[in-house]
Amino acid sequence: MGDEKKPKVGVWPTVKPFINGGVSGMLATCVIQPIDMIKVRIQLGQGSAAHVTTTMLKNEGVAAFYKGLSAGLLRQATYTTARLGSFRILTNKAIEANDGKPLPLYQKALCGLTAGAIGATVGSPSDLALIRMQADATLPAAQRRHYTNAFHALFRITKDEGVLSLWKGAGPTVVRAMALNMGMLASYDQSVEFFRDNVGLGEAATVVGASSVSGFFAAACSLPFDYVKTQIQKMQPDAEGKYPYTGSLDCTLKTLKAGGPLKFYTGFPVYCVRIAPHVMMTWIFLNQIQKLEKSYGL
């Protein structure tokens, strides 16, 4: 997964993984945003993917699929920048400690877990803004927040609920990110080795195949945490000011009691379809950016 040579000394080699990671994630998000919107609506109980799509087109128009795009881009500019950048820094340090040898799978998984936690902590406010903007149209008219963009959402949340509310649901967000990154990174490396060395596929086919496999495992590992996170972030107080859940554990237990374990996998096909292409396109965009930088000697 990238160049494992000893990193050069200087500011640009240090910040480059962060910038490249953020830009590649933002480009991928521009393509995936409509699928992500459908996934959120399914998790909010609005029906199947086909029903949600036709209803949104009929009642809200094409622009509804890109509602919250500014928050999605802000999330990538924070979460993915921190996640991929810190992952590269961590793996470079680990390679140095390993005398320049390739890292074993468990060390890459540990780096992925750590990078996921760092990225999620940094990106939690923008993730909250994204969820709220996507869910706003599903609320009763009196409860809608009418955020105009991600920065307006962050400002309103800070003003109305306090600064610490920006990290509401941060616990499950961090856990989800750790699960996702471990599943994505570990399975991606193993799949690349399998498709390239055992099956003999070319570079393009290897990237597509490995990205699809890693996307599946990333989705399978992270969707239960994503479901709980979404429920916590979108909840509204009732007439008495009481929230439906007191926290992530309470949400988990109530969900298990009401719908069983499979309830956590509501919308899994759409979620998996969203994750796999995003993983694939993020790596493809990242590789293209790196090739462009090399052509200019950066």
Side-chain angles (χ1 to χ4, degrees), residues 214-269:
S214 67
F216 174 83
F217 282 102
C221 291
S222 64
L223 182 55
F225 302 102
D226 184 78
Y227 181 87
V228 172
K229 174 181 68 70
T230 301
Q231 298 303 310
I232 293 294
Q233 290 181 331
K234 79 175 183 68
M235 64 181 180
Q236 289 273 357
D238 58 20
E240 299 177 354
K242 185 178 180 180
Y243 286 94
Y245 308 114
T246 58
S248 300
L249 180 59
D250 184 51
C251 179
T252 300
L253 294 176
K254 287 182 178 178
T255 302
L256 274 173
K257 184 178 180 180
L262 292 181
K263 183 65 175 178
F264 293 106
Y265 285 91
T266 300
F268 178 75

Side-chain angles (χ1 to χ4, degrees), residues 112-195:
L113 282 169
T114 306
I118 294 172
T121 301
V122 175
S124 186
S126 57
D127 191 54
L128 175 61
L130 174 61
I131 293 294
R132 292 238 182 137
M133 292 180 70
Q134 290 179 328
D136 200 49
T138 69
L139 298 174
Q143 295 182 4
R144 293 179 185 176
R145 301 178 177 98
H146 302 291
Y147 299 138
T148 56
N149 55 59
F151 295 103
H152 179 235
L154 294 176
F155 173 77
R156 281 274 306 280
I157 293 170
T158 302
K159 180 181 178 182
D160 299 341
E161 305 172 44
V163 175
L164 293 182
S165 293
L166 293 173
W167 280 269
K168 181 182 291 184
T173 298
V174 170
V175 174
R176 171 192 175 274
M178 293 173 69
L180 186 149
N181 280 279
M182 185 181 71
M184 180 181 76
L185 297 173
S187 62
Y188 182 82
D189 272 359
Q190 289 298 109
S191 298
V192 165
E193 294 175 3
F194 175 77
F195 288 127

Side-chain angles (χ1 to χ4, degrees), residues 1-296:
M1 290 198 314
D3 193 2
E4 294 187 345
K5 295 180 181 179
K6 186 174 180 179
K8 299 178 181 179
V9 178
V11 176
W12 173 241
T14 302
V15 302
K16 183 166 67 171
F18 293 91
I19 295 175
N20 290 352
V23 171
S24 61
M26 292 172 74
L27 291 172
T29 293
C30 289
V31 180
I32 297 301
Q33 178 69 15
I35 301 176
D36 192 37
M37 172 62 79
I38 295 171
K39 183 265 297 183
V40 171
R41 294 290 182 93
I42 291 173
Q43 288 184 330
L44 295 177
Q46 292 197 343
S48 66
H51 177 73
V52 168
T53 302
T54 54
T55 301
M56 288 178 65
L57 283 172
K58 180 179 179 180
N59 298 336
E60 304 173 58
V62 176
F65 291 95
Y66 287 91
K67 188 175 183 62
L69 178 60
S70 62
L73 294 176
L74 179 61
R75 181 178 184 273
Q76 293 301 317
T78 52
Y79 167 63
T80 299
T81 296
R83 171 178 65 136
L84 294 186
S86 59
F87 177 74
R88 182 56 54 219
I89 297 297
L90 290 169
T91 52
N92 285 342
K93 292 294 184 183
I95 290 171
E96 288 182 29
N98 202 31
D99 298 325
K101 298 177 183 178
L103 297 179
L105 182 60
Y106 81 91
Q107 288 188 7
K108 290 181 179 179
L110 289 175
C111 289
L113 282 169
T114 306
I118 294 172
T121 301
V122 175
S124 186
S126 57
D127 191 54
L128 175 61
L130 174 61
I131 293 294
R132 292 238 182 137
M133 292 180 70
Q134 290 179 328
D136 200 49
T138 69
L139 298 174
Q143 295 182 4
R144 293 179 185 176
R145 301 178 177 98
H146 302 291
Y147 299 138
T148 56
N149 55 59
F151 295 103
H152 179 235
L154 294 176
F155 173 77
R156 281 274 306 280
I157 293 170
T158 302
K159 180 181 178 182
D160 299 341
E161 305 172 44
V163 175
L164 293 182
S165 293
L166 293 173
W167 280 269
K168 181 182 291 184
T173 298
V174 170
V175 174
R176 171 192 175 274
M178 293 173 69
L180 186 149
N181 280 279
M182 185 181 71
M184 180 181 76
L185 297 173
S187 62
Y188 182 82
D189 272 359
Q190 289 298 109
S191 298
V192 165
E193 294 175 3
F194 175 77
F195 288 127
R196 183 187 60 203
D197 302 334
N198 294 38
V199 181
L201 297 181
E203 181 181 357
T206 295
V207 171
V208 172
S211 297
S212 299
V213 172
S214 67
F216 174 83
F217 282 102
C221 291
S222 64
L223 182 55
F225 302 102
D226 184 78
Y227 181 87
V228 172
K229 174 181 68 70
T230 301
Q231 298 303 310
I232 293 294
Q233 290 181 331
K234 79 175 183 68
M235 64 181 180
Q236 289 273 357
D238 58 20
E240 299 177 354
K242 185 178 180 180
Y243 286 94
Y245 308 114
T246 58
S248 300
L249 180 59
D250 184 51
C251 179
T252 300
L253 294 176
K254 287 182 178 178
T255 302
L256 274 173
K257 184 178 180 180
L262 292 181
K263 183 65 175 178
F264 293 106
Y265 285 91
T266 300
F268 178 75
V270 173
Y271 184 75
C272 190
V273 167
R274 172 197 172 257
I275 290 294
H278 196 284
V279 170
M280 178 182 68
M281 285 183 287
T282 297
W283 286 112
I284 289 175
F285 282 129
L286 182 59
N287 288 336
Q288 292 302 311
I289 291 170
Q290 290 172 335
K291 288 180 180 178
L292 184 63
E293 289 173 343
K294 288 181 180 178
S295 68
Y296 285 96

